[in-house]
């Protein structure tokens, strides 16, 4: 099989481009400081769960504003284990968005359920007004995705879930420090799932994730499920999974968590600067920005562009890492063939996929670089 160790091409292009999405060498320029902390773990032999994981979970829960954060192997596992902890299994349906990353759907499918898609709004998030029509007797849960770090309309989604007795699992993998009406994204549903993949806003040296919840009971279940169901060394409460957050990754995560305010504020400032410079250019649509009630943290800075493919190639040729997140909606993926969807089923999501493009807005992007990007885009549309 080709591509046995496929790596997304964002890892290869760092040297070829001047203005890049990949900022990891800058992000971890202080890696020796982290290595010293990792050395402590090695000296104690404290590799599995342990103090570093415990401390990080507490600190993370405080940032999100939830009672419990449970460290697991990845964001995908956080979603999957959340669904399993809520009893999702064969024959169930989970309502979600076709405009997301593959892992959202993978978690539903590996939990045994079938994803049922509902179209998005112009801000890329699931349209709550269309959810009720998708509910069937098999529906077990709603899985909204806070795309790009903009919270979904959680009031509406929770009201629907309550009316129909459905569970809510938030895919908050883009949403650390995002807020909806003053409350943290990932704190509304039965569970909120977070990822610490190297390209997420809070990132580690490999994989890591968290499942957040305000329920003591669900937290207890999640802690068991991620660790073989073990109550202690000799007693197993339930036969389950092995998906722990690595202690070494918890050390890295704690280090980055200290900088999360700066990371978030830089992303917001850079995004709002692009908004101000790119608004009014014909050919560009800026998604609706909800001021006040919603804090969007811009894990991705996506606008919609006419002649998107041409513009992307134009920018890439000039050293700007313009990316598409993502060109094909989930219902039209080869892996979705069995579910019977067809082009035209979700026109807004399909239009977003055809026109969206993302620019780098991470904390190492400079105003000068942004001005260059703006200049190039204006030249393109002139
Ligand atoms: C990254 C991501 C995930 C999966 O996270 P991993 O830690 O890579 O498993 C899930 N959903 C969304 C929306 C993501 O962007």
């Amino acid at each position: 099989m080709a591509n046995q160790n496929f790596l997304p091409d964002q890892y290869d292009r760092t040297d070829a481009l001047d203005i890049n999405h990949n900022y990891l060498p800058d992000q971890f320029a202080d890696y020796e400081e982290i290595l010293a902390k990792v050395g402590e773990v090695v000296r104690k032999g404290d590799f599995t769960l342990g103090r570093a994981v415990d401390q990080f979970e507490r600190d993370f829960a405080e940032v999100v504003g939830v009672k419990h954060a449970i460290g697991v192997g990845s964001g995908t596992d956080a979603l999957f284990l959340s669904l399993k902890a809520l009893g999702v299994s064969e024959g169930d349906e989970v309502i979600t968005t076709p405009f997301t990353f593959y892992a959202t759907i993978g978690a539903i499918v590996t939990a045994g359920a079938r994803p049922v898609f509902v179209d998005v709004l112009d801000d890329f998030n699931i349209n709550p007004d269309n959810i009720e029509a998708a509910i069937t007797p098999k529906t077990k849960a709603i899985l909204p995705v806070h795309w790009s770090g903009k919270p979904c309309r959680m009031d509406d989604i929770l009201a629907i879930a309550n009316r129909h007795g459905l569970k809510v699992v938030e895919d908050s993998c883009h949403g650390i420090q995002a807020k909806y009406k003053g409350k943290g994204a990932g704190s509304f549903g039965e569970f909120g799932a977070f990822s610490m993949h190297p390209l997420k806003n809070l990132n580690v040296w490999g994989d890591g994730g968290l499942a957040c919840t305000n329920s003591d009971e669900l937290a207890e279940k999640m802690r068991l499920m991620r660790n073989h169901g073990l109550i202690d060394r000799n007693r197993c409460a339930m036969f389950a999974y092995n998906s722990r957050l690595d202690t070494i990754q918890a050390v890295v995560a704690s280090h980055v968590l200290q900088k999360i305010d700066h990371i978030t504020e830089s992303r917001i400032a850079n995004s709002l600067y692009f908004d101000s410079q790119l608004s009014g250019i014909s050919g560009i649509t800026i998604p609706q920005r909800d001021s006040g009630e919603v804090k969007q943290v811009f894990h991705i800075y996506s606008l919609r562009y006419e002649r998107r493919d041409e513009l992307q190639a134009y920018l890439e040729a000039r050293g700007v890492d313009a990316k598409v997140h993502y060109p094909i909606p989930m219902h039209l993926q080869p892996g979705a063939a069995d579910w019977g969807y067809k082009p035209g089923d979700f026109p807004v999501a399909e239009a977003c996929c055809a026109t969206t493009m993302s620019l780098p807005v991470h904390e190492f992007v400079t105003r000068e670089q942004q001005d260059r990007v703006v200049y190039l885009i204006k030249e393109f549309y002139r």
Side-chain angles (χ1 to χ4, degrees), residues 5-303:
N5 272 313
F6 168 77
L7 283 180
D9 56 4
Q10 58 259 36
Y11 290 105
D12 300 332
R13 291 196 287 177
T14 309
D15 296 336
L17 298 165
D18 312 323
I19 305 177
N20 227 290
H21 266 97
N22 185 343
Y23 54 98
L24 297 179
D26 293 319
Q27 167 111 48
F28 292 115
D30 59 353
Y31 72 95
E32 289 188 354
E33 225 178 285
I34 306 175
L35 283 178
K37 296 179 190 172
V38 170
E40 282 297 303
V41 173
V42 178
R43 268 191 293 280
K44 289 189 191 124
D46 193 8
F47 295 119
T48 306
L49 297 176
R51 280 174 214 87
V53 173
D54 201 58
Q55 186 60 51
F56 173 65
E57 287 179 344
R58 284 167 207 273
D59 294 342
F60 190 87
E62 198 177 309
V63 167
V64 177
V66 280
K67 217 164 155 194
H68 307 279
I70 297 109
V72 295
S74 67
T76 307
D77 278 1
L79 288 167
F80 164 76
L81 292 171
S82 296
L83 293 170
K84 292 314 278 181
L86 294 168
V88 169
S89 63
E90 305 308 316
D92 291 336
E93 293 176 354
V94 175
I95 291 175
T96 193
T97 162
F99 192 82
T100 184
F101 180 68
Y102 318 102
T104 315
I105 312 309
I108 295 169
V109 171
T110 52
R114 197 194 128 144
V116 172
F117 297 112
V118 165
D119 208 358
V120 294
L121 291 159
D122 285 330
D123 68 358
F124 307 115
N125 280 341
I126 193 166
N127 185 348
D129 300 335
N130 292 352
I131 289 178
E132 271 184 311
I135 295 173
T136 76
K138 294 180 178 171
T139 309
K140 187 94 183 205
I142 306 172
L143 203 168
V145 180
H146 305 307
W147 187 256
S148 76
K150 181 182 178 185
C152 295
R153 279 166 41 196
M154 290 313 297
D155 277 355
D156 296 329
I157 292 171
L158 292 176
I160 295 165
N162 284 337
R163 260 201 305 282
H164 297 270
L166 305 176
K167 309 293 185 191
V168 174
V169 175
E170 299 168 72
D171 184 336
S172 203
C173 289
H174 295 181
I176 181 166
Q177 288 200 313
K179 288 205 158 66
Y180 176 77
K181 300 191 176 173
K183 281 181 61 184
S187 73
F188 292 88
E190 268 74 19
F191 281 108
F194 291 84
S195 164
M196 299 191 291
H197 179 278
L199 297 175
K200 297 288 153 68
N201 289 12
L202 172 69
N203 48 3
V204 296
W205 293 349
D207 284 302
L210 295 115
C212 292
T213 182
N214 283 310
S215 155
D216 295 343
E217 214 174 297
L218 289 174
E220 178 64 28
K221 194 163 181 192
M222 181 62 70
R223 283 184 204 285
L224 286 170
M225 284 176 71
R226 72 164 171 188
N227 190 29
H228 308 295
L230 290 177
I231 302 165
D232 55 38
R233 193 167 172 281
N234 298 324
R235 286 181 307 151
C236 184
M238 57 192 291
F239 297 98
Y241 305 88
N242 174 1
S243 180
R244 299 174 294 240
L245 174 62
D246 270 4
T247 311
I248 288 172
Q249 302 299 358
V251 170
V252 179
S254 284
H255 186 87
V256 179
L257 193 65
Q258 291 171 2
K259 308 177 192 179
I260 195 66
D261 289 341
H262 171 70
I263 292 170
T264 299
E265 295 313 320
S266 308
R267 282 181 175 274
I268 293 173
N270 291 340
S271 300
L272 296 183
Y273 184 70
F274 267 145
D275 272 6
S276 72
Q277 300 301 301
L278 295 173
S279 70
I281 298 177
S282 109
I284 301 182
T285 308
I286 299 180
Q288 188 195 327
R289 306 281 187 227
D290 295 332
S291 55
E293 295 218 311
V294 163
K295 181 176 180 187
Q296 179 174 1
V297 296
F298 298 100
H299 169 60
I300 292 173
Y301 179 78
S302 285
L303 308 181

Side-chain angles (χ1 to χ4, degrees), residues 302-381:
S302 285
L303 308 181
R304 291 175 57 183
Y305 298 88
E306 282 172 21
R307 294 195 285 140
R308 188 266 321 268
D309 293 344
E310 234 179 291
L311 173 62
Q312 187 195 13
Y314 173 92
L315 290 174
E316 278 189 345
R318 286 157 186 78
V320 180
D321 188 13
K323 281 196 161 9
V324 176
H325 299 93
Y326 288 89
I328 304 173
M330 295 304 116
H331 65 289
L332 301 180
Q333 291 289 340
D338 286 350
W339 303 323
Y341 292 108
K342 58 185 188 312
D345 283 345
F346 305 110
V348 184
E350 289 168 33
C352 289
C353 287
T355 58
T356 189
M357 189 187 73
S358 321
L359 299 169
V361 292
H362 54 78
E363 71 263 37
F364 299 101
V365 171
T366 64
R367 265 301 132 80
E368 236 172 16
Q369 290 178 320
Q370 288 196 280
D371 286 337
R372 172 156 174 77
V373 174
V374 170
Y375 168 81
L376 288 171
I377 292 175
K378 284 185 173 159
E379 279 296 297
F380 177 85
Y381 282 113

